[in-house]
Amino acid sequence: MTTAAAELSRKDYELFRALVYRESGISLGDEKMQLVKGRLAKRIRNGDFKSFGQYYEHVVNDTSGEELSQLLDAISTNTTHLFREANHFDFLREIVEKWASAKKRDADGKTLRIWSAACSSGEEPYSIAMVAHRVLRQVPGLSVKILATDISTRMLARARAGRYRIEAAEKVPADLCKTYFRQVQDANQPTIEAVPEIRQTITFSRFNLMDPTFPFKKGFNVIFCRNVMIYFDSATQETLVNKFAMHLHPGGHLLIGHSESLNRIKQPLTYLRPTIYQNGKTAR
Ligand SMILES: C[S@@+](CC[C@H](N)C(=O)[O-])C[C@H]1O[C@@H](n2cnc3c(N)ncnc32)[C@H](O)[C@@H]1O
């Protein structure tokens, strides 16, 4: 027997929309109503909820936060891949080489610190790790530390596993893939797995970019915040980028996604080229 699909009323959509905005900064336009309905339908069916309104009540009354986390997971887009927007990784290699050969670094100058600020299933931080490790392994005493954060615990679990379908290797330069991934058999499907050398450079942690304060004691040489700001409105982007600026070392870089721009917001970073910004002009 099939049960009739629940209908999403405009009033209930507004409730979900306000909740998602408050909790994640994701700004859902009017045109996203059908998409939201589609993405939540499975949860409504599986959880035996009679209506979207009943499901909404369940989410806001769940003090564990687990249902909210599932809701945000269903709403947000997690698309990513290894070496996505590959020119950023050429640029990163140049930054790492410059940093490694600089005569003078700051007090914390033996560790290059990079933040992947919406890392999804981990392909971005592993790509960063490969590029940086390849340069720094030739320079005794220098290392890289990568902080990889996301709001989604489900994505972070996948990121920590560091395992991807074999097809993912096609995007990785062959020499890096050979050095930093090994083939394993996972649930009968050929899979690649990141090796310990790059795993140990990355710390995965849940972090909501909407949190009023960033709890990081040390600054970063590079921040990757790619393909998430596109879901935020201008006011949210402005607050976020100004906070990033406060957590970048002098001369540090912010990299954003190729369909994103900071043109319409007030922020203190210097534009270098599309999607690449620098804190001040003193490159290190
Ligand atoms: C499209 S993925 C981007 C992945 C990667 N940066 C890239 O460019 O390939 C967007 C990610 O942003 C995360 N996200 C959405 N809102 C967030 C928030 N408020 N705080 C932290 N992460 C968030 C989502 O969970 C998702 O994994």
Side-chain angles (χ1 to χ4, degrees):
M1 198 179 76
T2 52
T3 45
E7 275 312 311
L8 176 61
S9 68
R10 169 61 59 182
K11 184 171 145 265
D12 285 342
Y13 178 59
E14 293 303 335
L15 288 173
F16 280 109
R17 190 173 166 172
L19 178 68
V20 168
Y21 183 72
R22 215 168 42 242
E23 298 294 338
S24 72
I26 296 172
S27 168
L28 297 164
D30 283 343
E31 76 292 353
K32 292 281 162 62
M33 188 162 154
Q34 284 312 310
L35 179 129
V36 168
K37 183 181 168 196
R39 289 198 176 175
L40 297 186
K42 193 168 155 211
R43 185 70 198 110
I44 304 264
R45 269 196 318 273
N46 293 351
D48 259 344
F49 297 103
K50 292 197 172 49
S51 64
F52 279 90
Q54 193 190 41
Y55 176 56
Y56 176 83
E57 288 305 318
H58 177 68
V59 176
V60 292
N61 289 318
D62 172 24
T63 48
S64 74
E66 182 47 36
E67 195 63 54
L68 175 65
S69 183
Q70 289 205 31
L71 167 75
L72 295 178
D73 250 357
I75 298 293
S76 58
T77 301
N78 305 113
T79 313
T80 185
H81 61 76
L82 289 159
F83 283 85
R84 182 180 193 183
E85 298 171 358
N87 70 315
H88 279 164
F89 296 95
D90 295 334
F91 184 73
L92 176 67
R93 185 172 35 76
E94 286 170 27
I95 295 178
V96 182
E97 284 171 352
K98 223 186 223 177
W99 177 82
S101 60
K103 294 225 163 36
K104 212 170 133 261
R105 296 189 209 94
D106 59 19
D108 192 29
K110 291 206 175 300
T111 309
L112 185 73
R113 290 170 48 79
I114 302 178
W115 180 16
S116 168
C119 70
S120 188
S121 38
E123 287 88 334
E124 183 175 278
Y126 287 113
S127 305
I128 297 169
M130 283 186 267
V131 170
H133 191 273
R134 164 54 62 89
V135 176
L136 296 180
R137 69 180 182 175
Q138 295 160 23
V139 194
L142 299 186
S143 61
V144 61
K145 268 194 182 157
I146 300 156
L147 173 67
T149 62
D150 200 280
I151 197 172
S152 165
T153 44
R154 191 170 60 93
M155 284 301 127
L156 285 167
R158 283 171 54 177
R160 282 192 188 97
R163 287 182 163 213
Y164 303 103
R165 292 171 72 117
I166 191 100
E167 298 79 33
E170 286 162 21
K171 308 272 186 197
V172 184
D175 59 326
L176 291 180
C177 195
K178 210 166 142 219
T179 311
Y180 294 115
F181 278 100
R182 62 189 180 106
Q183 273 199 43
V184 291
Q185 199 66 23
D186 192 355
N188 291 329
Q189 91 189 350
T191 299
I192 54 170
E193 183 183 77
V195 300
E197 277 95 326
I198 52 168
R199 279 170 180 278
Q200 65 204 18
T201 65
I202 309 173
T203 303
F204 291 102
S205 182
R206 182 174 186 273
F207 182 67
N208 185 346
L209 292 166
M210 295 305 111
D211 279 8
T213 47
F214 287 0
F216 315 123
K217 288 197 191 82
K218 294 179 178 169
F220 297 96
N221 299 79
V222 189
I223 298 176
F224 282 72
C225 183
R226 307 188 310 161
N227 304 303
V228 61
M229 280 199 281
I230 195 163
Y231 303 110
F232 300 158
D233 61 18
S234 299
T236 306
Q237 291 177 1
E238 187 166 307
T239 309
L240 186 58
V241 173
N242 278 278
K243 282 202 221 156
F244 284 146
M246 288 198 303
H247 287 78
L248 271 177
H249 287 328
H253 294 87
L254 171 69
L255 274 56
I256 65 174
H258 279 66
S259 48
E260 298 167 327
S261 148
L262 306 184
N263 285 350
R264 275 175 303 164
I265 62 170
K266 263 202 179 144
Q267 54 81 29
L269 302 175
T270 306
Y271 169 87
L272 289 192
R273 55 176 105 151
T275 71
I276 301 182
Y277 296 79
Q278 187 172 28
N279 188 19
K281 291 187 185 116
T282 342
R284 285 187 301 152

